[in-house]
Amino acid sequence: MLWSVVIPVKTTQSGKSRLELPGAERPQLALAIALDTIAAAASAETVGEVLVVTSDADVQAGVEQIEGATSIPDPGMGLNGAARAGLERASLDARAAMLGDLPALRGSDLDAALRAAEGEERALVSDTEGSGSVLITWRTPATFEPRFGAASAEQHVEAGHTLLRDEVPTLRRDVDTAEQMRAAYQLGLGPRTTALLAAARARTAA
């Protein structure tokens, strides 16, 4: 089974407002994280297409360089509205929405989660803390009601999504704070985020 994966991405000016790292400009960091997430998703064997919903020109330009990923305009209805717009535009029956702040994501972890989701009509993967959602899936076309945000894992379960408990650490580690970035670093960051943080360290050491 191949999946359409939808990734809503905020503008880099507004994204990652709680993530402050010495020597790193927040918009550039948000961009690197998003593009590493998108590239990892596009590399997964179970993913047939990646739809990035964004109004950010830098993200759109970056997506053009990633094989298997395309961008569509953000309708301006918030994160869940963007995810819903992408899910409705997807071309494959099996559809998933995923957060765009998973800089350590490996395609193999996404593959494991999506293969587990094949056995459920609706499913979700929670974040490392267990309260938020990083991936929500529908095996067949449906009325899409993503509920990303605070305590979203519980809300998705109440809406009929089965909580998947596979060990997929790089998928579950979303990043909003410096502490979470340190945890993602231990898992191994994507190339864009790695390069940006290396440059930031060099600047602060100079």
Side-chain angles (χ1 to χ4, degrees), residues 122 138 145 147 153-162:
R122 299 182 177 196
W138 293 260
E145 297 181 355
R147 293 171 166 84
E154 182 179 353
Q155 293 179 48
H156 283 124
V157 169
E158 290 175 352
H161 292 263
T162 300

Side-chain angles (χ1 to χ4, degrees), residues 33-201:
I33 289 171
L35 293 179
D36 276 339
T37 303
I38 294 161
S43 75
E45 295 178 353
T46 54
V47 174
E49 67 175 356
V50 175
L51 297 178
V52 181
V53 187
T54 186
S55 61
D56 189 284
D58 290 332
V59 176
Q60 292 168 345
V63 169
E64 291 179 358
Q65 306 303 313
I66 299 174
E67 184 176 356
T70 58
S71 65
I72 62 175
D74 188 331
M77 297 183 292
L79 182 65
N80 287 312
R84 187 164 49 249
L87 288 162
E88 290 171 351
R89 287 274 299 273
S91 64
L92 300 175
D93 284 350
R95 304 177 194 187
M98 188 177 77
L99 294 183
D101 59 355
L102 311 173
L105 179 64
R106 289 194 291 270
S108 57
D109 274 0
L110 181 55
D111 280 330
L114 291 177
R115 287 181 178 125
E118 290 180 9
E120 307 291 343
E121 188 61 33
R122 299 182 177 196
L124 79 138
V125 175
S126 69
D127 59 16
T128 302
E129 290 76 19
S131 59
S133 306
V134 294
L135 180 77
I136 48 179
T137 70
W138 293 260
R139 195 178 59 190
T140 57
T143 300
F144 302 106
E145 297 181 355
R147 293 171 166 84
F148 289 119
S152 64
E154 182 179 353
Q155 293 179 48
H156 283 124
V157 169
E158 290 175 352
H161 292 263
T162 300
L163 179 63
L164 301 178
R165 301 186 182 276
D166 290 52
E167 185 58 32
V168 285
T170 71
L171 174 61
R172 298 186 65 192
R173 181 63 282 158
D174 60 333
V175 169
D176 288 305
T177 66
E179 181 180 358
Q180 291 171 342
M181 179 62 87
R182 285 191 288 271
Y185 179 83
Q186 296 300 316
L187 295 170
L189 297 170
R192 298 163 185 80
T193 309
T194 296
L196 187 146
L197 293 183
R201 286 194 295 271

